[in-house]
Amino acid sequence: PSETDQYEDMRVLLPAFLAGSLSAVRVSRSDVEDTVTGSAVDTDDDEQLMKELQEALQEYSDANLDPNMPLEEAVDHVVQRGVPSTLSAALKEANLTDVPSALLSQRNSIQDESHEGASSEADSNAGGEAAPKVNPVVARIFKIINGMIIQDQNKLVLKVFSCKKQQATFKSAYRTNRMNFNAESYKLQEALSTEKLGQLEQFEASVRLRKLIPSRNKLKRRCRVDIRELQAQFKRISYDYTLARKIADGTSCAKKAPTSFLQTCLRMTADGAKEGFVQFQEGTQEAGVVSLLQTDTARKAVHRGLVDLVGHDKLGAPPAEILFQVSARQQKEASSWLQSEAADEEDADEALSEEADELAHRETDFDDYFFEDGDFEDDSGVEDEPYQPTQYDAEVNSAVSEAIAKIQRESAASDRDTSDADAPPNGWINQAALDHASKELALVQAAELGFLSAPNLTNITLPFQNMENSKAKQSAKFFCTVASNPNCQQFRDKLEMIVAELQAEKQHVQFLLSTTRSECKKQITELDTQIATMNAKKNDGARIEAQGSADKSNSQVSIAAIEKEGRDLLKSAWKQSNDCDSELKSLRNTVCGSKKLKQEVITIESKQSGKGRLEINDCSVGDWQPGECMDSQVARMLEQRGIYDASQAQKLGAQYKNLLHPCGVGGGVQWFLRDKVSPPQTPKHGADCPPLRLKTSCNDFECPIDCKLGDWEGWSACSKSCDGGLKRRVRPVLVYPQWDGDECDDTKDEETCNALSCDRPCLLTRWSRWRQCTRACEGGIRWRSRQIRRKASGDGKCPRTFSKARYQRQSCNTAPCPMDVVCVAKMDLVVAIDASGSMGTSGWKAQRQALLNLINRMQLSKTSGILLGTLKFAHKVTILSQLTDDKKALIKAVTDTKFDAWTTNIGGAFRVMKTMLQFGRRDAPSVCMLWTDGRPSHPSNKYDAALGARDLRSSCRVMVVTMRPAVPKSFVEPWVSHPKSQNVMVVRDPRDMTKKVMQVNTFVCGKIQRFLDWTTTTTKAAR
């Protein structure tokens, strides 16, 4: 359509007034808890306001003729607008009757606004119709009224779009207000979450502290009592050890004792039984020193050592069982603390057998040496074919016979140098050493044992010294007789054993004291660490809660201010909406009134002239139709081509695919279009159309920013180890939502974990392979086990080490052993023989003879037989031969070695065995066999037998042969490998070793052959 001058003015003016968009904007609002003070903005208010304003704009945007408007109302609207003076003059000049007098009144007229000539010349011939002929004065009236209509229509259009601008401005401001509200709501929710988190942290820490602090105080009190008791016990046993050490250090074998100093005693027990024991003779310095002993352990050790020295057969009655039970108990305690892990608690309902329960100690996880080779699992027993001796075997047999004969000819003087240069030369027990010991012990007792009575060496009263005659002794059921002095070397060895037992007890108590201190310190430190952690957690919780409370307060203040601002915006918008509604209605009524007045003038003129009524119609338009908001550059290009509708532009091609402008600072371009409607405008005398298209800016606001989240972090540790805990993970917010963007999904995630009960049983591994049979004949054992893969928790149960669920055993090789056998197994064997003083010359000779016969009945070979190594142990450990298959070299080494006749260093022997196995073979199992008749004399950490045996068990199968009844089987069982009963052999006397060679051979060997005789070999040798 063509543009009038007024339209040109409107096209220039409107963009300066209009901004915003007609499309309604919905601002989402997060729910806020009742922590916000003041009344909240109702989101329905802005929607109702926009709806009413839109309806008003739709209703009053057009100003077409309203035929139902009464004339009086139309005149009132024109009068309120102001009647132009030219119109009043023209009406008077036309002398039209029935014209309302208000239009003619000079009082209602206004200055001339140059309404004449406002009609459009371009539209004079619109539609091809001729303009009707009217009176010139009436034509001038029409022209003036048309000018009024056009002017008021332009005002109406300006007001309509001014109201639209106000609407867009309000929407933008209200949208920003709601965005700020949502942002602060997020902050408030985070503050509330932080505050609750801080409270939870404090609660958890407080609950934990209420348990930890009393536990720490209780533990500290208990540790103080235990340490005090152990300190007192350590002082007493240290005192006794010093006494025993002085007696042993003052003993020399350079001279014989002039008189006897021992007594064999007999006493009656409460049940009428007899018990025998040995003590130092009454009145001797030794008896005085023994009376100073403070502990039962020391007194029993002395009594037990003297009984071993004299011999059970000379007592006249068996010794008290308690003497040896104490020793076994001490050994069990020593083995228990030497183990790397504490023994698990056992369930008595799962016992396997009495034999398994009688073990001296429990093995935690079967860490013993196990040769992993399937070929050896069934390679045991007695071979079907007898052993065929060779010429070399005959030579070895001859060498063994000569060596045994040489050993039997040896004398004690040639076997042992008894000069004893390292001891005082003036007696068995040096008097000066005893005097020095008494003074030193008195000082020790006064300084360290102040709570005990000071010793008086000159006035020692023993329980039996007041019994002067035999009748008193008999009435007391207690009497003693003088015993002969024992062998000096044996006596000194027994003294060392007594010292060793007290030293072991001292070290055990010292270990318990050290362990108790370290464990108490460790547990208290751990509790202190937990308490410090909980206090830090509590403080952190308080800090987090304070920070959350501060943030909550700030958010509440900010939300209250934002809500007030929102209410003020709504209030102002309602006022503007009412003003717009009133002004739009007034302008529309004015335009309609002018058009009604024009029609009334036509009616009056037709009546006065007597002519037919003129049909003069003004231009009528439809409602505004808003177009899409387009990109500014694209809109300018389309405008040059006369395109104002985005839907038409989209049909032109891909160059306009991005023509829409949904958002962004600077805005886009939006066209409002409307069309003419019937009836058409009457040429010349009809009022021109108002603007049919208008261009405004649109969507001048920030684009929505959606929430953007990062990747999930790893799961946290489970809050509980059992009974159902929670593990959490979080992900960071990389971009927070703004301008009505999509809100964030959950940033925290939780899952249940460790749902199993805290009372869980232990988890076991699969069954191990069956171990090789322990014996070649007369009943061995093969076994397999299951270890603990995961320990039990809570009240959960775990099978015992030797329960059916964890341990299985079978009998094997039950056939009886032949009378004479040869060991043909493939193994690396180390044999240690006892050279301590308690062995005696006869026992020492018997051991060597037995070892020579054992060598004679073994098949030695580097490839398929035995590699044998030997050593002896007393105070020192001497390697006689490394692992070898040379029998003649072994025979010479055993024959030429000397008798040390000193203390019993079993721990050292175990360690030397382990070093000798370094030269062993990878494809052969390792066996270590120790012969001894006594207890270890050096229980220090360096020579401790139990510790050395534990280290050795990981390298070989440990076996022990005991040669005296004073060394019970239970004493040595903690040293040997599993099964204990299969790795301990008992010989009643060392001199019996020569008779037990075949039993020792079948004891240590897993594969044997029958040996018939030397007839064939001897015959071949003669030939």
Side-chain angles (χ1 to χ4, degrees), residues 471-741:
K471 291 184 179 180
K473 295 180 180 180
Q474 291 177 1
S475 63
K477 298 181 179 180
F478 180 95
F479 59 90
C480 300
T481 59
V482 176
S484 59
N485 288 334
N487 178 274
C488 181
Q489 286 82 8
Q490 293 181 358
F491 177 69
R492 189 166 58 179
D493 190 32
K494 292 302 177 183
L495 286 179
E496 289 295 340
M497 287 187 179
I498 293 171
V499 173
E501 188 169 337
L502 294 181
Q503 185 180 3
E505 184 68 16
K506 174 185 174 183
Q507 290 180 339
H508 178 52
V509 175
Q510 185 178 16
F511 172 80
L512 292 178
L513 179 60
S514 175
T515 302
T516 303
R517 282 174 172 168
S518 61
E519 286 297 322
C520 287
K521 182 178 179 181
K522 178 181 178 181
Q523 294 178 18
I524 292 176
T525 301
E526 183 178 354
L527 289 175
D528 287 340
T529 302
Q530 295 182 26
I531 291 173
T533 302
M534 290 300 105
N535 284 326
K537 183 177 180 180
K538 187 175 181 180
N539 294 335
D540 289 342
R543 178 183 56 79
I544 293 172
E545 182 185 9
Q547 183 64 41
S549 299
D551 294 342
K552 181 182 74 173
S553 178
N554 294 335
S555 296
Q556 289 174 340
V557 172
S558 299
I559 288 176
I562 292 171
E563 289 288 81
K564 183 179 182 302
E565 180 187 15
R567 291 192 295 273
D568 292 343
L569 284 173
L570 285 174
K571 184 178 180 180
S572 174
W574 276 112
K575 183 177 182 303
Q576 292 177 358
S577 177
N578 293 333
D579 292 344
C580 283
D581 183 78
S582 177
E583 292 182 20
L584 289 173
K585 185 176 181 181
S586 176
L587 287 172
R588 177 186 178 279
N589 290 336
T590 300
V591 174
C592 291
S594 298
K595 291 184 176 182
K596 184 69 176 180
L597 176 60
K598 183 178 180 182
Q599 295 298 322
E600 186 63 22
V601 170
I602 294 173
T603 302
I604 296 173
E605 192 274 335
S606 64
K607 289 180 179 179
Q608 287 185 357
S609 63
K611 299 179 181 179
R613 190 178 187 281
L614 297 176
E615 293 295 334
I616 298 177
N617 297 319
D618 299 326
C619 178
S620 298
V621 295
D623 296 332
W624 287 109
Q625 299 297 327
E628 296 285 348
C629 187
M630 297 183 292
D631 181 77
S632 300
Q633 296 181 358
V634 177
R636 283 195 295 270
M637 296 171 59
L638 294 174
E639 187 177 352
Q640 294 174 0
R641 303 180 62 173
I643 300 174
Y644 309 98
D645 190 356
S647 61
Q648 297 178 4
Q650 291 174 348
K651 300 177 182 179
L652 298 180
Q655 57 179 330
Y656 301 111
K657 62 180 180 179
N658 296 323
L659 62 90
L660 298 182
H661 180 81
C663 58
V665 179
V669 173
Q670 183 181 26
W671 286 95
F672 286 84
L673 306 175
R674 58 183 175 181
D675 298 326
K676 295 179 181 180
V677 297
S678 298
Q681 175 187 357
T682 302
K684 191 175 182 179
H685 301 299
D688 288 340
C689 294
L692 299 179
R693 63 176 180 271
L694 292 173
K695 182 172 69 174
T696 66
S697 62
C698 57
N699 294 349
D700 186 10
F701 53 82
E702 296 283 352
C703 291
I705 299 177
D706 297 334
C707 176
K708 185 178 293 185
L709 300 175
D711 296 332
W712 288 105
E713 297 179 0
W715 288 101
S716 66
C718 193
S719 60
K720 297 175 66 177
S721 60
C722 51
D723 276 349
L726 288 177
K727 60 179 181 179
R728 300 177 176 88
R729 64 174 181 174
V730 295
R731 53 180 174 178
V733 178
L734 303 180
V735 178
Y736 282 93
Q738 298 184 47
W739 310 108
D740 199 26

Side-chain angles (χ1 to χ4, degrees), residues 245 489 492-497 500 834-838 873-876 900-906 935-938:
R245 183 73 269 171
Q489 286 82 8
R492 189 166 58 179
D493 190 32
K494 292 302 177 183
L495 286 179
E496 289 295 340
M497 287 187 179
D834 191 344
S836 62
S838 60
F873 62 93
H875 175 69
K876 297 185 296 183
D900 293 341
W902 194 228
T903 57
T904 310
N905 185 6
I906 295 178
R935 298 177 178 85
S937 302
H938 289 275

Side-chain angles (χ1 to χ4, degrees), residues 85-235:
S85 58
T86 53
L87 179 59
S88 298
L91 289 173
K92 292 178 180 179
E93 182 180 355
N95 195 21
L96 296 175
T97 58
D98 299 330
V99 174
S101 58
L103 299 175
L104 303 176
S105 176
Q106 189 68 29
R107 185 178 53 187
N108 297 327
S109 63
I110 59 175
Q111 294 297 323
D112 187 9
E113 298 179 4
S114 300
H115 296 293
E116 296 184 6
S119 62
S120 175
E121 295 295 336
D123 290 341
S124 59
N125 296 322
E129 299 180 359
K133 294 182 178 181
V134 298
N135 189 307
V137 177
V138 175
R140 185 154 53 92
I141 293 174
F142 288 166
K143 188 175 182 179
I144 294 173
I145 294 176
N146 287 344
M148 294 170 56
I149 292 173
I150 292 175
Q151 186 181 34
D152 291 339
Q153 283 180 337
N154 289 339
K155 289 181 180 180
L156 177 61
V157 171
L158 289 174
K159 188 60 182 177
V160 166
F161 283 91
S162 175
C163 291
K164 288 182 180 292
K165 177 184 177 181
Q166 293 175 4
Q167 179 189 24
T169 302
F170 163 74
K171 288 179 180 179
S172 177
Y174 192 75
R175 182 172 180 267
T176 302
N177 177 267
R178 293 299 88 192
M179 185 200 69
N180 294 335
F181 174 82
N182 291 337
E184 288 299 327
S185 296
Y186 273 115
K187 293 180 181 179
L188 178 58
Q189 291 173 359
E190 290 180 356
L192 291 173
S193 176
T194 301
E195 185 181 35
K196 291 180 180 179
L197 176 61
Q199 294 172 353
L200 179 61
E201 292 284 324
Q202 294 181 79
F203 174 76
E204 291 178 350
S206 299
V207 171
R208 185 62 178 154
L209 286 172
R210 284 196 293 269
K211 295 181 179 180
L212 289 174
I213 294 176
S215 298
R216 181 191 182 278
N217 295 335
K218 182 179 179 181
L219 174 64
K220 192 172 182 179
R221 290 192 297 269
R222 181 170 59 82
C223 287
R224 190 183 297 114
V225 173
D226 292 345
I227 291 174
R228 193 175 297 163
E229 292 178 355
L230 287 172
Q231 285 175 336
Q233 185 178 355
F234 178 72
K235 289 180 180 180

